[in-house]
Amino acid sequence: MGAATTTKRRRPRAVPWVLLGIWVAVMALAGPFAGKLGDVQKDRAVDYLPASADSTQVAEVQEQLPGGETTELVLVYHRDGGLSAADRRTAADQVAAVARQVELVATPTGVASKDGTTLMYPVASTAPGTDEEKRDAFVNDVRDIAKESDSGGAGDGLSVKVGGSGALATDAGEVYQSLDGPLLYTTVAVVAILLILIYRSPFLWLVPLVVAGIADFLSMGVAYGLNQAFGTSVTGQSSGIMTILVFGAGTDYALLIVSRYREELRRVERPYDAMAVALRSCGPAVLASSGTVAAGLFCLLAADLNSSRGMGPLGAVGVLCALVAMLTLLPALLVLLGRRVFWPIVPAFGSEPKKRRSLFASMGSSAGRRPVVVLAIGAALLAVLSLGALNLPGNLKQEDSFTSKPDSIAAMETLAAAYPERGTQPISVIVPSGEADALLDRARSVAGVDSAERGRSSERWTELSVVAKAPPQTAAETATIEALRDALDDRGAYVGGPSAEQIDLKDTNARDRMVVVPIVLAAVLLVLVALLRSLVAPLLLLLAVVAVWGASLGIGGLVFGPLFGFEGTDPGLGLLSFVFLVALGVDYGIFLMHRMREECLEGADTGTAALTALRTTGGVIASAGLVLAATFAVLTNMPLVQLVELGFVIAVGVLLDTFLVRTYLVTSASLALGRKVWWPGPLSRAPRPPAAPEPREPELARLP
């Protein structure tokens, strides 16, 4: 009997070591795959598009034509005072050197600007094929040749730049490839600083940070496995967002677990037992919140855009890996380290926490005095902020997508200034070979077309190179591309190229918003109804996060152009920010409303339950919101406009949700609605008064 009792007592102590061993094995298995995620990452504009898009069809056919996909460049020679005869000879010699080094599609012909300051040579090659490394090597070789005469505006004044879609793709690829390191290091640094401030311990902050890093490593391995098994799209944007979610959401879960664990250590003697109680208490809320986020992200599978559809599974993988790590590895490490990990403020068994004035209790009281007034003012504020969305700049052009100015962008700006009256970027048109001549004539007759020439040809397809009269990615060029599609669509032709890709991105994003947004709302609503056993409370939370999304976009509209100087808005900003803010915002609503429901189940009225929930969870929610907002704010330091915009909108939305919506609006709405917030559940009905005891007849004294 004694031996059996000893075995039972020792068994719990072995559980953390077993979990630690399992994680060591998991990391060993995931290691070989995690390092390969960057190898399958694709960041061409056409890789973001659906297979049905015209631009995608053009890219696929180009790969089948002799030589493979075409890489198009433009060598731009410019001198402010006008090009000299020597400059023109230099340009011709350099273009000849390029032709000797790489097989070109056609002999380049120089086109001089009307003012004589600029000379451009369109250069197209099929030698690099579809291999991005070979494409980059070709672009860099051409740039090396161009640098021999480029004085950058100094010296003799001749400037030589390399632009075109190939150069833009190379520059964009270099930016995306460079994101992983800075994004990870900056995220880790931000989370570390916040955890040190929150925990005020020299050791405790390391534990959730290390666990989050391990979860991130695991998510990379799982993401690579999904790509290999199901062909899931992986882009620099989606992999970066996955890392942000692992550290942001994972740290949020850690804050909840550690906070409850610290509380239980004062009531329970053994750390193992204290952790078991903590996980039983906060585990359901953590599971529900992570499930809501994952469900919202999985709804992106309904998107037609490859990048959005791929971001759904990758984001969900990040959240779920963070969840598993925080529910298993984090508790195991904390139990093994014992109470001393909290030094210098060690929660001793039987001790009482220091009483402090609760900021959130004061905020709840202020909302409780006039809940309807507070609710009206907060709703009006969000509505006014939402109006700023009307000031969002138009669609982001390819050359405006960098926060800095790489060589390709400088070249395109020079072309736009020197050739305002004509296009400088060819439109690729793929037509059936049997009708190539007839469709070439039809293309030349389309309004807005400056010229059209035959390109490569195979037995089935022929490529036409069309130049519009209007500059690239202007309203006039867009009209020309749409006119080409209307004129050639009935003959099985496809119109693609960089400008057409941007049009397809815009159209696909518009379609995805109409499809994905209702699905996300429905999925999140179902999860909330199942968790809260109510219909009014879930609708209240959804309405709140939608209002936050609108206000966040409005703030973006007020700063993107006037403050940041951005020339456009990423077409995918609305959809992606909606999915993240709804899923993540509801996350905090679950923490608050779940605690409210617990208090109501224990007999508290709705008003008291709302104030108690805010007082007890407000600090943790505020800390979690700060961490999550800070991790997404890391994106604002990245060199791509679309990442800066997405990070800014989500960070602002999380802060609004944490300090305005959860603190004031949800609390005041709950106070104003009373028990109706739980309708139609049993908590919405007033409790019946206890039945009065039935009068009983007095018992007669028994006779002996």
Side-chain angles (χ1 to χ4, degrees), residues 383-408:
V384 170
L385 289 175
S386 299
L387 295 176
L390 300 175
N391 195 48
L392 283 169
N395 287 321
L396 187 68
K397 296 180 181 179
Q398 200 172 13
E399 60 264 27
D400 296 327
S401 60
F402 300 89
T403 56
S404 58
K405 189 183 293 184
D407 189 64
S408 58

PDB file of all heavy atoms in Angstrom, residues 383-408:
ATOM      1  N   ALA A 383     -17.593  56.017 -35.024  1.00  0.00           N
ATOM      2  CA  ALA A 383     -18.224  56.371 -36.302  1.00  0.00           C
ATOM      3  C   ALA A 383     -17.502  57.528 -36.973  1.00  0.00           C
ATOM      4  O   ALA A 383     -17.269  57.511 -38.193  1.00  0.00           O
ATOM      5  CB  ALA A 383     -19.692  56.725 -36.074  1.00  0.00           C
ATOM      6  N   VAL A 384     -17.126  58.533 -36.190  1.00  0.00           N
ATOM      7  CA  VAL A 384     -16.408  59.677 -36.758  1.00  0.00           C
ATOM      8  C   VAL A 384     -15.047  59.249 -37.295  1.00  0.00           C
ATOM      9  O   VAL A 384     -14.627  59.656 -38.387  1.00  0.00           O
ATOM     10  CB  VAL A 384     -16.257  60.787 -35.700  1.00  0.00           C
ATOM     11  CG1 VAL A 384     -15.317  61.879 -36.192  1.00  0.00           C
ATOM     12  CG2 VAL A 384     -17.620  61.386 -35.369  1.00  0.00           C
ATOM     13  N   LEU A 385     -14.338  58.410 -36.535  1.00  0.00           N
ATOM     14  CA  LEU A 385     -13.036  57.937 -36.998  1.00  0.00           C
ATOM     15  C   LEU A 385     -13.168  57.132 -38.283  1.00  0.00           C
ATOM     16  O   LEU A 385     -12.299  57.191 -39.157  1.00  0.00           O
ATOM     17  CB  LEU A 385     -12.378  57.084 -35.911  1.00  0.00           C
ATOM     18  CG  LEU A 385     -11.869  57.824 -34.669  1.00  0.00           C
ATOM     19  CD1 LEU A 385     -11.353  56.830 -33.633  1.00  0.00           C
ATOM     20  CD2 LEU A 385     -10.759  58.803 -35.040  1.00  0.00           C
ATOM     21  N   SER A 386     -14.260  56.387 -38.415  1.00  0.00           N
ATOM     22  CA  SER A 386     -14.458  55.560 -39.618  1.00  0.00           C
ATOM     23  C   SER A 386     -14.560  56.405 -40.878  1.00  0.00           C
ATOM     24  O   SER A 386     -14.230  55.935 -41.977  1.00  0.00           O
ATOM     25  CB  SER A 386     -15.718  54.700 -39.466  1.00  0.00           C
ATOM     26  OG  SER A 386     -15.608  53.826 -38.364  1.00  0.00           O
ATOM     27  N   LEU A 387     -15.003  57.646 -40.736  1.00  0.00           N
ATOM     28  CA  LEU A 387     -15.122  58.514 -41.905  1.00  0.00           C
ATOM     29  C   LEU A 387     -13.773  58.778 -42.559  1.00  0.00           C
ATOM     30  O   LEU A 387     -13.702  59.111 -43.743  1.00  0.00           O
ATOM     31  CB  LEU A 387     -15.774  59.841 -41.505  1.00  0.00           C
ATOM     32  CG  LEU A 387     -17.231  59.765 -41.029  1.00  0.00           C
ATOM     33  CD1 LEU A 387     -17.714  61.137 -40.585  1.00  0.00           C
ATOM     34  CD2 LEU A 387     -18.130  59.208 -42.129  1.00  0.00           C
ATOM     35  N   GLY A 388     -12.685  58.627 -41.793  1.00  0.00           N
ATOM     36  CA  GLY A 388     -11.354  58.830 -42.363  1.00  0.00           C
ATOM     37  C   GLY A 388     -11.022  57.844 -43.461  1.00  0.00           C
ATOM     38  O   GLY A 388     -10.127  58.098 -44.280  1.00  0.00           O
ATOM     39  N   ALA A 389     -11.747  56.716 -43.503  1.00  0.00           N
ATOM     40  CA  ALA A 389     -11.499  55.730 -44.568  1.00  0.00           C
ATOM     41  C   ALA A 389     -11.787  56.308 -45.941  1.00  0.00           C
ATOM     42  O   ALA A 389     -11.251  55.824 -46.951  1.00  0.00           O
ATOM     43  CB  ALA A 389     -12.343  54.479 -44.327  1.00  0.00           C
ATOM     44  N   LEU A 390     -12.628  57.338 -45.993  1.00  0.00           N
ATOM     45  CA  LEU A 390     -12.910  57.983 -47.276  1.00  0.00           C
ATOM     46  C   LEU A 390     -11.678  58.686 -47.826  1.00  0.00           C
ATOM     47  O   LEU A 390     -11.630  59.007 -49.015  1.00  0.00           O
ATOM     48  CB  LEU A 390     -14.049  58.990 -47.106  1.00  0.00           C
ATOM     49  CG  LEU A 390     -15.386  58.417 -46.619  1.00  0.00           C
ATOM     50  CD1 LEU A 390     -16.382  59.539 -46.375  1.00  0.00           C
ATOM     51  CD2 LEU A 390     -15.931  57.410 -47.620  1.00  0.00           C
ATOM     52  N   ASN A 391     -10.687  58.930 -46.953  1.00  0.00           N
ATOM     53  CA  ASN A 391      -9.469  59.623 -47.370  1.00  0.00           C
ATOM     54  C   ASN A 391      -8.332  58.668 -47.707  1.00  0.00           C
ATOM     55  O   ASN A 391      -7.204  59.107 -47.965  1.00  0.00           O
ATOM     56  CB  ASN A 391      -9.016  60.579 -46.253  1.00  0.00           C
ATOM     57  CG  ASN A 391      -7.997  61.589 -46.732  1.00  0.00           C
ATOM     58  OD1 ASN A 391      -8.185  62.216 -47.765  1.00  0.00           O
ATOM     59  ND2 ASN A 391      -6.910  61.749 -45.985  1.00  0.00           N
ATOM     60  N   LEU A 392      -8.616  57.369 -47.713  1.00  0.00           N
ATOM     61  CA  LEU A 392      -7.572  56.410 -48.079  1.00  0.00           C
ATOM     62  C   LEU A 392      -7.130  56.649 -49.524  1.00  0.00           C
ATOM     63  O   LEU A 392      -7.972  56.853 -50.401  1.00  0.00           O
ATOM     64  CB  LEU A 392      -8.084  54.978 -47.939  1.00  0.00           C
ATOM     65  CG  LEU A 392      -8.176  54.417 -46.518  1.00  0.00           C
ATOM     66  CD1 LEU A 392      -8.953  53.109 -46.513  1.00  0.00           C
ATOM     67  CD2 LEU A 392      -6.782  54.201 -45.926  1.00  0.00           C
ATOM     68  N   PRO A 393      -5.811  56.638 -49.786  1.00  0.00           N
ATOM     69  CA  PRO A 393      -5.352  56.826 -51.169  1.00  0.00           C
ATOM     70  C   PRO A 393      -5.807  55.682 -52.053  1.00  0.00           C
ATOM     71  O   PRO A 393      -6.193  54.621 -51.572  1.00  0.00           O
ATOM     72  CB  PRO A 393      -3.820  56.871 -51.032  1.00  0.00           C
ATOM     73  CG  PRO A 393      -3.516  56.245 -49.716  1.00  0.00           C
ATOM     74  CD  PRO A 393      -4.693  56.479 -48.839  1.00  0.00           C
ATOM     75  N   GLY A 394      -5.735  55.896 -53.368  1.00  0.00           N
ATOM     76  CA  GLY A 394      -6.184  54.885 -54.322  1.00  0.00           C
ATOM     77  C   GLY A 394      -5.328  53.636 -54.291  1.00  0.00           C
ATOM     78  O   GLY A 394      -4.471  53.457 -53.419  1.00  0.00           O
ATOM     79  N   ASN A 395      -5.558  52.766 -55.257  1.00  0.00           N
ATOM     80  CA  ASN A 395      -4.838  51.491 -55.287  1.00  0.00           C
ATOM     81  C   ASN A 395      -3.332  51.712 -55.402  1.00  0.00           C
ATOM     82  O   ASN A 395      -2.864  52.581 -56.135  1.00  0.00           O
ATOM     83  CB  ASN A 395      -5.317  50.632 -56.457  1.00  0.00           C
ATOM     84  CG  ASN A 395      -6.699  50.078 -56.200  1.00  0.00           C
ATOM     85  OD1 ASN A 395      -7.023  49.695 -55.082  1.00  0.00           O
ATOM     86  ND2 ASN A 395      -7.525  50.057 -57.230  1.00  0.00           N
ATOM     87  N   LEU A 396      -2.584  50.898 -54.697  1.00  0.00           N
ATOM     88  CA  LEU A 396      -1.129  51.005 -54.656  1.00  0.00           C
ATOM     89  C   LEU A 396      -0.526  50.516 -55.972  1.00  0.00           C
ATOM     90  O   LEU A 396      -0.780  49.392 -56.405  1.00  0.00           O
ATOM     91  CB  LEU A 396      -0.587  50.168 -53.492  1.00  0.00           C
ATOM     92  CG  LEU A 396       0.892  50.276 -53.181  1.00  0.00           C
ATOM     93  CD1 LEU A 396       1.225  51.660 -52.632  1.00  0.00           C
ATOM     94  CD2 LEU A 396       1.294  49.206 -52.161  1.00  0.00           C
ATOM     95  N   LYS A 397       0.280  51.367 -56.597  1.00  0.00           N
ATOM     96  CA  LYS A 397       0.981  50.964 -57.809  1.00  0.00           C
ATOM     97  C   LYS A 397       2.235  50.176 -57.444  1.00  0.00           C
ATOM     98  O   LYS A 397       2.766  50.305 -56.349  1.00  0.00           O
ATOM     99  CB  LYS A 397       1.375  52.197 -58.628  1.00  0.00           C
ATOM    100  CG  LYS A 397       0.203  53.005 -59.166  1.00  0.00           C
ATOM    101  CD  LYS A 397       0.697  54.198 -59.966  1.00  0.00           C
ATOM    102  CE  LYS A 397      -0.465  55.026 -60.483  1.00  0.00           C
ATOM    103  NZ  LYS A 397      -0.003  56.204 -61.252  1.00  0.00           N
ATOM    104  N   GLN A 398       2.700  49.383 -58.410  1.00  0.00           N
ATOM    105  CA  GLN A 398       3.866  48.547 -58.156  1.00  0.00           C
ATOM    106  C   GLN A 398       5.087  49.370 -57.771  1.00  0.00           C
ATOM    107  O   GLN A 398       5.819  49.023 -56.857  1.00  0.00           O
ATOM    108  CB  GLN A 398       4.169  47.699 -59.398  1.00  0.00           C
ATOM    109  CG  GLN A 398       5.017  46.472 -59.113  1.00  0.00           C
ATOM    110  CD  GLN A 398       5.104  45.576 -60.332  1.00  0.00           C
ATOM    111  OE1 GLN A 398       4.753  45.971 -61.428  1.00  0.00           O
ATOM    112  NE2 GLN A 398       5.590  44.363 -60.136  1.00  0.00           N
ATOM    113  N   GLU A 399       5.280  50.520 -58.446  1.00  0.00           N
ATOM    114  CA  GLU A 399       6.464  51.319 -58.156  1.00  0.00           C
ATOM    115  C   GLU A 399       6.346  52.108 -56.854  1.00  0.00           C
ATOM    116  O   GLU A 399       7.333  52.684 -56.377  1.00  0.00           O
ATOM    117  CB  GLU A 399       6.747  52.295 -59.303  1.00  0.00           C
ATOM    118  CG  GLU A 399       5.637  53.288 -59.583  1.00  0.00           C
ATOM    119  CD  GLU A 399       4.732  52.832 -60.693  1.00  0.00           C
ATOM    120  OE1 GLU A 399       4.612  51.600 -60.907  1.00  0.00           O
ATOM    121  OE2 GLU A 399       4.139  53.689 -61.361  1.00  0.00           O
ATOM    122  N   ASP A 400       5.134  52.128 -56.257  1.00  0.00           N
ATOM    123  CA  ASP A 400       4.945  52.834 -54.987  1.00  0.00           C
ATOM    124  C   ASP A 400       4.938  51.888 -53.794  1.00  0.00           C
ATOM    125  O   ASP A 400       4.622  52.302 -52.675  1.00  0.00           O
ATOM    126  CB  ASP A 400       3.625  53.615 -55.008  1.00  0.00           C
ATOM    127  CG  ASP A 400       3.621  54.715 -56.050  1.00  0.00           C
ATOM    128  OD1 ASP A 400       4.702  55.287 -56.296  1.00  0.00           O
ATOM    129  OD2 ASP A 400       2.553  54.995 -56.625  1.00  0.00           O
ATOM    130  N   SER A 401       5.277  50.627 -54.018  1.00  0.00           N
ATOM    131  CA  SER A 401       5.136  49.639 -52.953  1.00  0.00           C
ATOM    132  C   SER A 401       6.346  49.542 -52.033  1.00  0.00           C
ATOM    133  O   SER A 401       6.334  48.754 -51.091  1.00  0.00           O
ATOM    134  CB  SER A 401       4.860  48.255 -53.565  1.00  0.00           C
ATOM    135  OG  SER A 401       5.917  47.863 -54.423  1.00  0.00           O
ATOM    136  N   PHE A 402       7.396  50.329 -52.289  1.00  0.00           N
ATOM    137  CA  PHE A 402       8.584  50.312 -51.429  1.00  0.00           C
ATOM    138  C   PHE A 402       8.627  51.587 -50.590  1.00  0.00           C
ATOM    139  O   PHE A 402       8.325  52.679 -51.074  1.00  0.00           O
ATOM    140  CB  PHE A 402       9.863  50.224 -52.268  1.00  0.00           C
ATOM    141  CG  PHE A 402       9.955  48.998 -53.130  1.00  0.00           C
ATOM    142  CD1 PHE A 402       9.442  48.997 -54.422  1.00  0.00           C
ATOM    143  CD2 PHE A 402      10.541  47.835 -52.661  1.00  0.00           C
ATOM    144  CE1 PHE A 402       9.523  47.872 -55.220  1.00  0.00           C
ATOM    145  CE2 PHE A 402      10.618  46.710 -53.453  1.00  0.00           C
ATOM    146  CZ  PHE A 402      10.114  46.722 -54.731  1.00  0.00           C
ATOM    147  N   THR A 403       9.049  51.465 -49.332  1.00  0.00           N
ATOM    148  CA  THR A 403       9.202  52.657 -48.497  1.00  0.00           C
ATOM    149  C   THR A 403      10.492  53.396 -48.828  1.00  0.00           C
ATOM    150  O   THR A 403      10.599  54.596 -48.598  1.00  0.00           O
ATOM    151  CB  THR A 403       9.218  52.273 -47.007  1.00  0.00           C
ATOM    152  OG1 THR A 403      10.261  51.320 -46.767  1.00  0.00           O
ATOM    153  CG2 THR A 403       7.880  51.663 -46.598  1.00  0.00           C
ATOM    154  N   SER A 404      11.475  52.687 -49.346  1.00  0.00           N
ATOM    155  CA  SER A 404      12.701  53.312 -49.838  1.00  0.00           C
ATOM    156  C   SER A 404      12.625  53.334 -51.364  1.00  0.00           C
ATOM    157  O   SER A 404      11.612  52.958 -51.946  1.00  0.00           O
ATOM    158  CB  SER A 404      13.938  52.554 -49.357  1.00  0.00           C
ATOM    159  OG  SER A 404      13.885  51.205 -49.779  1.00  0.00           O
ATOM    160  N   LYS A 405      13.694  53.746 -52.035  1.00  0.00           N
ATOM    161  CA  LYS A 405      13.663  53.869 -53.490  1.00  0.00           C
ATOM    162  C   LYS A 405      14.789  53.027 -54.101  1.00  0.00           C
ATOM    163  O   LYS A 405      15.902  53.513 -54.298  1.00  0.00           O
ATOM    164  CB  LYS A 405      13.805  55.321 -53.914  1.00  0.00           C
ATOM    165  CG  LYS A 405      13.567  55.559 -55.410  1.00  0.00           C
ATOM    166  CD  LYS A 405      13.803  57.005 -55.786  1.00  0.00           C
ATOM    167  CE  LYS A 405      12.779  57.920 -55.181  1.00  0.00           C
ATOM    168  NZ  LYS A 405      12.943  59.327 -55.633  1.00  0.00           N
ATOM    169  N   PRO A 406      14.506  51.751 -54.432  1.00  0.00           N
ATOM    170  CA  PRO A 406      15.526  50.937 -55.097  1.00  0.00           C
ATOM    171  C   PRO A 406      15.779  51.414 -56.515  1.00  0.00           C
ATOM    172  O   PRO A 406      15.075  52.277 -57.056  1.00  0.00           O
ATOM    173  CB  PRO A 406      14.918  49.525 -55.072  1.00  0.00           C
ATOM    174  CG  PRO A 406      13.453  49.740 -54.957  1.00  0.00           C
ATOM    175  CD  PRO A 406      13.270  50.997 -54.178  1.00  0.00           C
ATOM    176  N   ASP A 407      16.785  50.831 -57.146  1.00  0.00           N
ATOM    177  CA  ASP A 407      17.212  51.245 -58.484  1.00  0.00           C
ATOM    178  C   ASP A 407      16.080  51.152 -59.499  1.00  0.00           C
ATOM    179  O   ASP A 407      15.916  52.030 -60.351  1.00  0.00           O
ATOM    180  CB  ASP A 407      18.388  50.365 -58.919  1.00  0.00           C
ATOM    181  CG  ASP A 407      19.030  50.869 -60.201  1.00  0.00           C
ATOM    182  OD1 ASP A 407      19.583  51.979 -60.181  1.00  0.00           O
ATOM    183  OD2 ASP A 407      18.966  50.150 -61.218  1.00  0.00           O
ATOM    184  N   SER A 408      15.271  50.107 -59.409  1.00  0.00           N
ATOM    185  CA  SER A 408      14.194  49.928 -60.383  1.00  0.00           C
ATOM    186  C   SER A 408      13.148  51.033 -60.272  1.00  0.00           C
ATOM    187  O   SER A 408      12.604  51.490 -61.278  1.00  0.00           O
ATOM    188  CB  SER A 408      13.527  48.561 -60.189  1.00  0.00           C
ATOM    189  OG  SER A 408      13.018  48.434 -58.874  1.00  0.00           O
TER     190      SER A 408
END
